[in-house]
């Protein structure tokens, strides 16, 4: 049993209730070609969403930087999409060469009206568009202050007192696990399928884009039959959807033909093949560009950083050695060359392992197999030593952890009071800040509305709200 590209690139749109959206006429003029493919529509919907716009003020590595050239989550996501588009195009271009025509002819032509013409370019363009759209959204569910924000939310619900409070309000073990292991990837899936344009059954993206977005296609509480001595497959390290979206992901998995992971006793699937490219694009971007940011901020010793980039960049054709030039322009040149080389290497690794990937038995990250693996490991060591452990990064992560825990401590007790109970005026006012808070919702849904609210905040808004709720600052005051 193996997945097939014809089904994997399904253009069928999935709604927040798990049903498929009826096929509607294209928005082009009669008798004219469509204005966009279905997968290009996905990217457009993501870019125009408020959740995507908020990424401009969310931490990548260096929080709230004063240097405009340092990456935010927004610029990071755009650059990941550029790398992912190249990877998708390179992999998709050769699909007709690697597979029999009858395997590929099953695909509904709605996804790409160009299939009647240049077949190779059609497959390449669709794969490029799908991967780019998924890359644009890959961080859309991240809370403020990066991964420390995720840890803060999970840490709040992991205390014995707060955990017992959840159980006392009827939450299941699976639902509590969602909160204790709060995951930005699962929050992103929730945004893409439910929260954005909620009144119209969500953003209604294609099944291909949603599956490609989901790097970890399993729920939070799941047991996988595997040798404990072995490293778990990369796609099972985390979870990619909450209990609230379990049915939606099941519909996505069925539509594109993801292979269930046996023996888990709970929803878990293999990855969509293009999800490996999203992961690779993200890994390439943050490893290379975090180093570039570290060099711009003079955190990484300049010679060490330039030499590390050179080790990868010099493998490209027509490479120009930097000599004594250590300017930012030379760093940009080396960064571009290094990314180009890594794209070529990742594409080759994907092609070599395509049969395993389609069979659902490939369990590693593509970047773990590239020839430049050791050079990338060295770059990661440099950024961990000089960037991720820098004083400013550690201080803002610690502050963010405290801040988010405090905000949850205000909102969660208020949300857990049942609608029929008498709430204090303070609790009522807190809940008025969260919109919409369903009146008849169960406790799990009400708690999720709070985490939706907190996770959606930008870094600066979270700081501002905290200061106002604590009486440190007043709205409009200076």
């Amino acid at each position: 049993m193996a997945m097939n590209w014809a089904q994997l690139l399904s253009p069928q749109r999935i709604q927040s209730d798990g049903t498929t959206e009826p096929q509607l006429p294209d928005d082009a003029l009669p008798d004219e070609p469509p204005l966009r493919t279905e997968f290009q529509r996905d990217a457009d919907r993501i870019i125009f969403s408020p959740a995507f716009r908020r990424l401009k003020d969310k931490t990548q590595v260096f929080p709230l930087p004063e240097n405009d050239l340092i990456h935010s989550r927004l610029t990071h996501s755009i650059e990941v999409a550029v790398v992912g588009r190249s990877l998708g195009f390179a992999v998709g271009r050769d699909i007709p060469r690697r597979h029999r025509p009858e395997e590929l002819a099953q695909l509904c032509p709605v996804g790409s009206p160009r299939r009647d013409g240049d077949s190779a370019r059609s497959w390449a363009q669709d794969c490029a568009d799908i991967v780019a759209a998924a890359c644009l959204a890959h961080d859309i569910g991240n809370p403020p202050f990066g991964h420390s924000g995720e840890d803060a939310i999970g840490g709040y619900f992991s205390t014995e007192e707060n955990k017992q409070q959840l159980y006392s309000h009827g939450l299941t073990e699976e639902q509590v696990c969602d909160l204790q292991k709060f995951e930005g990837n699962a929050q992103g899936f929730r945004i893409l399928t439910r929260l954005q344009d909620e009144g119209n059954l969500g953003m209604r993206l294609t099944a291909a884009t949603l599956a490609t977005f989901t790097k970890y296609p399993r729920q939070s509480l799941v047991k996988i039959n595997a040798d404990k001595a072995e490293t778990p497959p990369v796609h099972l390290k985390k979870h990619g959807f909450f209990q609230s979206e379990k049915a939606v992901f099941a519909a996505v998995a069925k539509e594109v033909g993801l292979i269930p992971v046996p023996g888990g006793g709970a929803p878990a699937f293999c990855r969509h093949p293009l999800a490996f490219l999203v992961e690779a694009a993200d890994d390439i971007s943050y490893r290379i560009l975090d180093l570039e940011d570290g060099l711009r901020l003079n955190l990484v010793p300049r010679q060490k950083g330039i030499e590390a980039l050179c080790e990868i960049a010099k493998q490209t054709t027509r490479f120009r050695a930097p000599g004594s030039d250590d300017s930012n322009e030379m760093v940009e040149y080396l960064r571009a060359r290094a990314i180009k080389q890594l794209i070529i290497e990742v594409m080759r690794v994907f092609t070599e392992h395509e049969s395993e990937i389609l069979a659902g038995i490939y369990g590693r990250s593509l970047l773990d197999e590239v020839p430049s693996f050791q050079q990338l490991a060295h770059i990661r060591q440099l950024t961990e030593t000089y960037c991720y452990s820098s004083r400013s990064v550690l201080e803002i992560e610690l502050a963010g952890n405290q801040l988010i825990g405090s905000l949850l401590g205000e909102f969660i007790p208020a949300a857990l009071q049942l609608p029929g109970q008498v709430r204090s005026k303070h609790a009522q006012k807190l809940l008025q800040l969260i919109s919409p808070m369903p009146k008849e919702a169960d406790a799990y849904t009400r708690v999720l509305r709070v985490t939706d609210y907190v996770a959606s905040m930008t870094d600066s808004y979270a700081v501002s709200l905290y200061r106002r709720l604590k009486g440190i600052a007043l709205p409009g005051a200076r």
Side-chain angles (χ1 to χ4, degrees):
M1 178 182 178
M3 296 176 282
N4 67 82
W5 285 110
Q7 187 175 4
L8 287 166
L9 270 61
S10 169
Q12 182 63 62
R13 298 191 173 277
I14 305 296
Q15 303 181 131
S16 61
D17 60 359
T19 61
T20 56
E21 182 182 55
Q23 296 285 348
L24 300 175
D26 189 82
D27 54 6
L29 296 173
D31 302 321
E32 289 193 8
L35 300 178
R36 301 167 292 174
T37 70
E38 294 300 317
F39 308 126
Q40 290 167 349
R41 290 172 188 263
D42 287 344
D44 294 349
R45 292 182 183 188
I46 292 165
I47 289 172
F48 280 95
S49 69
F52 183 75
R53 202 173 308 140
R54 290 190 190 101
L55 294 176
K56 72 180 176 62
D57 188 16
K58 289 198 176 187
T59 296
Q60 171 60 17
V61 173
F62 304 101
L64 307 174
E66 295 180 0
N67 188 326
D68 291 336
L69 296 178
I70 302 305
H71 290 86
S72 67
R73 286 283 172 185
L74 180 65
T75 51
H76 167 73
S77 297
I78 293 171
E79 290 173 353
V80 172
V82 171
V83 175
R85 182 181 62 202
S86 296
L87 286 171
F89 192 91
V91 166
R93 179 183 54 199
D94 291 336
I95 286 177
R97 180 179 60 81
R98 297 193 302 266
H99 297 273
R100 297 191 303 272
E102 57 269 26
E103 294 177 328
L104 306 179
Q106 305 168 41
L107 186 63
C108 174
V110 172
S112 175
R114 298 178 305 279
R115 270 186 219 291
D116 294 334
D118 185 347
S119 177
R121 184 165 182 83
S122 297
W123 285 98
Q125 191 62 60
D126 278 353
C127 287
D129 290 340
I130 292 168
V131 176
C135 286
L136 284 169
H138 83 283
D139 274 346
I140 205 167
N142 277 28
F145 310 110
H147 293 300
S148 65
E150 291 177 307
D151 295 340
I153 295 175
Y156 174 85
F157 293 109
S158 295
T159 66
E160 189 62 28
E161 179 183 356
N162 291 335
K163 181 175 67 174
Q164 291 305 320
Q165 186 181 37
L166 295 175
Y167 282 127
S168 69
H169 282 82
L171 271 70
T172 66
E173 185 180 10
E174 290 83 2
Q175 291 169 341
V176 172
C177 192
D178 282 352
L179 299 168
Q180 291 180 324
K181 297 181 179 179
F182 183 86
E183 174 59 48
N185 290 285
Q187 183 67 19
F189 188 79
R190 180 169 164 82
I191 290 170
L192 297 179
T193 59
R194 184 180 303 278
L195 298 181
Q196 177 62 34
D197 203 9
E198 189 169 8
N200 292 315
L201 295 176
M203 202 179 291
R204 306 178 311 284
L205 302 182
T206 65
T209 293
L210 289 172
T212 299
F213 166 84
T214 309
K215 294 194 294 184
Y216 307 106
R218 70 164 177 89
Q219 68 175 29
S220 60
L221 184 64
V222 62
K223 298 180 178 65
I224 303 298
N225 288 344
D227 187 341
K228 293 182 180 179
E230 295 181 358
T231 302
V234 65
H235 57 284
L236 299 179
K237 291 194 305 182
K238 301 179 183 180
H239 62 282
F241 52 89
F242 298 130
Q243 290 297 300
S244 53
E245 283 72 50
K246 182 169 67 173
V248 184
F249 189 79
V252 171
K254 181 179 179 181
E255 177 63 31
V256 299
L258 299 186
I259 301 172
V261 175
F269 300 86
C270 68
R271 263 185 184 170
H272 190 291
L274 296 182
F276 286 95
L277 301 183
V278 174
E279 179 182 58
D282 185 23
D283 289 350
I284 290 171
S285 298
Y286 86 74
R287 295 193 191 192
I288 301 298
L289 295 166
D290 287 358
L291 177 62
E292 181 185 8
D293 283 351
L295 287 168
R296 283 188 179 278
L297 292 173
N298 295 317
L299 294 174
V300 178
R302 202 154 190 86
Q303 196 57 38
K304 287 184 177 181
I306 289 175
E307 288 175 357
L309 287 174
C310 266
E311 285 301 306
I312 299 176
K314 69 182 183 182
Q315 301 174 68
T316 58
T317 58
R318 296 188 296 277
F319 171 72
R320 185 177 75 251
S324 60
D325 185 359
D326 66 351
S327 64
N328 284 334
E329 287 77 11
M330 178 51 67
V331 172
E332 292 170 5
Y333 169 77
L334 294 175
R335 172 254 295 160
R337 284 281 162 173
I339 290 176
K340 177 181 180 180
Q341 177 62 25
L342 291 171
I343 288 173
I344 294 170
E345 293 183 11
V346 166
M347 181 267 293
R348 289 172 178 169
V349 171
F350 184 96
T351 303
E352 291 170 4
H353 294 279
E354 184 185 13
S355 60
E356 299 166 65
I357 291 171
L358 290 173
I361 59 174
Y362 185 76
R364 304 189 67 188
S365 297
L366 296 175
L367 235 57
D368 290 342
E369 308 252 15
V370 297
S372 296
F373 172 79
Q374 292 298 332
Q375 291 89 335
L376 283 171
H378 177 55
I379 288 176
R380 179 60 185 262
Q381 184 181 33
L382 286 175
T383 51
E384 286 183 346
T385 300
Y386 297 104
C387 299
Y388 306 153
S389 299
S390 67
R391 185 179 183 87
S392 62
V393 171
L394 293 177
E395 286 178 344
I396 200 69
E397 286 181 350
L398 291 169
N401 192 296
Q402 179 70 25
L403 185 152
I404 289 177
S406 178
L407 291 176
L408 291 173
E410 294 278 351
F411 287 103
I412 292 296
L416 282 176
Q417 294 182 39
L418 296 174
Q421 294 177 333
V422 178
R423 290 192 175 103
S424 68
K425 289 185 177 180
H426 180 70
Q428 293 176 27
K429 291 175 181 178
L430 283 172
L431 295 182
Q432 287 176 4
L433 295 176
I434 302 176
S435 179
M437 174 63 78
K439 294 182 179 180
E440 304 301 323
D442 60 19
Y444 174 63
T445 301
R446 296 199 303 276
V447 171
L448 283 181
R449 289 298 180 175
V450 174
T451 57
D452 291 340
Y453 178 57
V454 173
S456 71
M457 295 178 184
T458 63
D459 292 8
S460 57
Y461 180 79
V463 171
S464 175
L465 180 63
Y466 172 82
R467 290 168 59 85
R468 287 179 299 202
L469 291 181
K470 295 298 181 182
I472 300 171
L474 296 175
R478 293 185 178 179

